[in-house]
Amino acid sequence: MQEEIDKAKAFLLKTSSASNKNLYDHLGEVLSKILDERPKHCVDIFEDISKGIKGKTEGTQEVQKDGDGEGGEPEVEEDVETPLPDLMNLVFFFEQAGIGLSREEMFRVFLALKQLVDSKPLQMVRFWGKVFGIECNYYIAEQGEGETEEQPKEEDKGEEDEEGGEEDDAPKSDWKPPPVIPKEENRTGTNKRTFFATTEPGKPWVKLPPVTPAQIVAARCIKKFFTGRLDAPITSYPPFPGNELNYLRAQIARISAGTHISPSVRDSYMINIDYEGISLRELADPALHNWVHHMQHILPQGRCVWHNPVEKAEDDFEEEEEEEEKEDVEEPKPESGPQKFENIYIGWGHKFDADNYTPPPPPALMEEYPVVPQVTEVDDPTAEEEQALKRAQQEAMEAAEEMDDVDDDEEDDD
C-alpha cells in the first residue's frame, strides 16, 4: 500500500518541461488558496483559481529568465497590483444572475485584455461589454479612470487670406452658422475614460477617438445597426459627423451615462452608527426611486458640463462693438441634468423604444425676406373706404389752404 502511495507521489512530482512545475506542488498551492480565502461554491471556480495561480507562476518565471542582476543572479520584482480584473471570478457571479458570456468566450476576452495591457502602458483596464453587429461584433475595453491618454491637439485652421483678390460687389449674407460646441477635455465628462475596440479576441485593439457634442446630438436622432467595420460610413438623416468608429464611441458614451446606476447617496455624509440601509424590497421597486445614475448625465447639448455658446472671448469684444447696431443675441439658459458595482453591457447599442423608430422631420425652410408691414400683402379696400379716404384727403387739403390764407393775411397786416 505504501509502495503504491510512493509511486503516485513520484508521478505527481514529475516536473513539466513547459512550465517547470509539478502537479503535486500546484495542487498544494490551489488548496492552500482555497483554505485561506474560503470562497463560496469553490468547486465551481476551482479551474479559475488553478489558471490564476498557473498564470502568476509563469509570469514570475519569465521575469526571472529575462532579468539577470549583477553577479548573474536573477532579479526578483516586487509584487504589483495586476491591471486586469479577476474576470473569471466575475463570470461566476454574472452566471448567477443569468447574464454575461460563456466561460470559454470570457476567458478569450481575458487573454485579449492581457494582450492589451502588454502592448500599452495601462494601469487598469476592464471589459466594458459586447456590441452586436451585422457582420462582426465589437468587444469593448475600458481604460481605468484618471489615466486617459493625451490626445493630439488638432491644428488650428487659419482662414484663407483673401487680400489682393478681385473685389466682389455681390451682396453678402449676414447669416452666421450657430457656434460650434467644443468637445469636453480628456479625463472629463463624456471623454472621462478611453475605450478600445476589437472584432475578435486576439485581434489588435483599436483606440476609439474622443467624442464630440455634435456626434452625441446626432446619435440621439438616428438608429443604425453596426456593421462591424469601423471605417463604414454612416448614411442617415440628420447627417452623422463621422463614420462607424465615431458612432460606436458616441453610443458607448450614451450607454455608460444612461445605464450605470447606484443606490442613492449624498455627496457629503457623516458616519451614522444607527443607519439602516435600504431594504431589498425597496431597491427592487420597479419605479427605481431609490437609485440614481452612477455616471454623469449627458446634457441635450452633447456635453456633461454645459458650455455657453454665445460667450465671447476677450479678442472678440472689438468685433462685438462693431455689430452693436445688429439685434442682440438672446442669452441661452444653462442646461442642467438630473441627480447623479461591476457591470457589463451586451446588446445592439440602441436605446429601448416601445414605439417604432421615427426619423426626425426636416427643419423649417428659411424665409426669403423679412416679413414687415411695407411688404405685407393686404386686402383691397371697398368703394366706401375709397370714398371716405378721398373725402378725408380733400378736407385735409382745404384745411391746409385755409391755414395758408390766414398766414398771408397776417403778413399783409404787419
Side-chain angles (χ1 to χ4, degrees):
M1 185 67 178
Q2 184 63 34
E3 183 179 355
E4 294 179 358
I5 295 176
D6 294 338
K7 288 182 179 180
K9 185 175 181 181
F11 174 76
L12 296 176
L13 286 171
K14 286 184 179 180
T15 303
S16 171
S17 59
S19 61
N20 198 26
K21 287 280 294 182
N22 61 73
L23 182 58
Y24 186 88
D25 294 337
H26 178 70
L27 288 175
E29 294 178 5
V30 172
L31 294 176
S32 177
K33 183 178 179 63
I34 292 176
L35 293 175
D36 290 340
E37 299 180 358
R38 297 184 181 276
K40 295 181 179 180
H41 311 287
C42 58
V43 66
D44 297 323
I45 60 174
F46 181 86
E47 295 86 354
D48 302 331
I49 297 175
S50 175
K51 291 177 182 178
I53 294 177
K54 187 180 295 184
K56 183 178 179 181
T57 305
E58 291 175 357
T60 304
Q61 291 176 352
E62 290 178 1
V63 170
Q64 293 177 349
K65 291 179 181 179
D66 295 340
D68 289 339
E70 297 180 1
E73 296 181 359
E75 294 182 357
V76 179
E77 294 185 359
E78 296 182 358
D79 292 338
V80 294
E81 184 179 358
T82 173
L84 295 175
D86 191 352
L87 197 59
M88 300 310 296
N89 191 25
L90 295 174
V91 171
F92 169 75
F93 294 104
F94 284 137
E95 287 177 346
Q96 308 310 305
I99 60 174
L101 307 176
S102 64
R103 281 177 168 259
E104 179 183 354
E105 188 174 8
M106 287 296 285
F107 187 70
R108 293 170 58 204
V109 171
F110 173 78
L111 296 178
L113 294 177
K114 186 177 185 302
Q115 178 187 8
L116 176 61
V117 299
D118 290 342
S119 60
K120 296 183 180 295
L122 306 179
Q123 297 180 358
M124 188 63 64
V125 69
R126 63 179 292 270
F127 179 51
W128 184 87
K130 180 180 180 180
V131 179
F132 299 142
I134 299 175
E135 301 175 11
C136 300
N137 301 322
Y138 289 117
Y139 295 85
I140 310 299
E142 180 183 21
Q143 189 174 356
E145 182 177 350
E147 52 171 321
T148 305
E149 296 182 3
E150 293 291 341
Q151 302 288 345
K153 295 184 178 179
E154 299 181 357
E155 297 181 358
D156 296 334
K157 297 182 179 179
E159 297 181 357
E160 297 181 358
D161 188 7
E162 298 180 357
E163 295 182 1
E166 297 180 359
E167 295 183 0
D168 188 4
D169 296 335
K172 297 181 179 179
S173 174
D174 293 334
W175 180 84
K176 292 183 178 180
V180 178
I181 305 299
K183 72 178 182 68
E184 294 181 291
E185 298 295 332
N186 298 327
R187 304 186 181 92
T188 60
T190 54
N191 293 317
K192 188 174 184 179
R193 299 186 181 182
T194 302
F195 295 89
F196 300 86
T198 184
T199 56
E200 187 69 27
K203 291 185 178 181
W205 291 90
V206 177
K207 183 178 180 181
L208 302 182
V211 67
T212 64
Q215 293 167 352
I216 293 287
V217 173
R220 283 171 164 162
C221 300
I222 65 177
K223 196 168 187 178
K224 300 284 291 185
F225 284 106
F226 292 100
T227 64
R229 292 179 285 108
L230 292 175
D231 58 348
I234 300 295
T235 305
S236 64
Y237 178 83
F240 182 80
N243 52 19
E244 188 164 300
L245 177 78
N246 307 102
Y247 183 52
L248 177 63
R249 180 63 181 86
Q251 294 299 85
I252 290 175
R254 296 181 59 208
I255 294 171
S256 297
T259 60
H260 292 190
I261 59 174
S262 303
S264 178
V265 295
R266 297 184 177 180
D267 296 335
S268 59
Y269 57 90
M270 296 180 62
I271 298 178
N272 182 5
I273 59 176
D274 298 328
Y275 170 76
E276 295 182 1
I278 302 175
S279 65
L280 293 178
R281 183 181 298 274
E282 293 175 334
L283 290 176
D285 182 8
L288 299 178
H289 292 307
N290 295 311
W291 296 78
V292 293
H293 283 89
H294 181 72
M295 303 294 290
Q296 203 171 2
H297 179 74
I298 301 180
L299 301 173
Q301 191 182 59
R303 291 167 52 101
C304 291
V305 179
W306 187 76
H307 172 79
N308 189 350
V310 301
E311 185 177 359
K312 299 291 183 179
E314 296 182 358
D315 299 338
D316 298 337
F317 280 118
E318 296 181 0
E319 299 180 1
E320 187 71 18
E321 293 178 357
E322 298 177 358
E323 300 179 357
E324 287 181 355
E325 298 180 359
K326 299 182 179 179
E327 184 179 357
D328 296 336
V329 179
E330 184 179 356
E331 186 74 13
K333 296 181 180 179
E335 298 174 352
S336 59
Q339 187 194 17
K340 345 185 236 49
F341 126 32
E342 183 67 29
N343 48 59
I344 186 175
Y345 176 82
I346 300 175
W348 291 94
H350 295 157
K351 186 175 182 179
F352 172 76
D353 189 0
D355 302 327
N356 292 330
Y357 169 73
T358 303
L365 297 177
M366 296 182 62
E367 297 178 352
E368 297 183 0
Y369 52 85
V371 180
V372 293
Q374 290 81 358
V375 296
T376 303
E377 184 178 0
V378 296
D379 297 333
D380 293 335
T382 62
E384 292 79 6
E385 292 175 344
E386 289 183 348
Q387 294 176 359
L389 178 62
K390 289 181 179 179
R391 286 196 299 268
Q393 292 176 344
Q394 184 66 28
E395 292 175 357
M397 291 177 60
E398 293 176 356
E401 291 177 356
E402 292 179 358
M403 292 296 298
D404 292 339
D405 294 340
V406 173
D407 292 340
D408 292 341
D409 295 339
E410 292 179 353
E411 291 179 357
D412 295 338
D413 295 338
D414 294 340

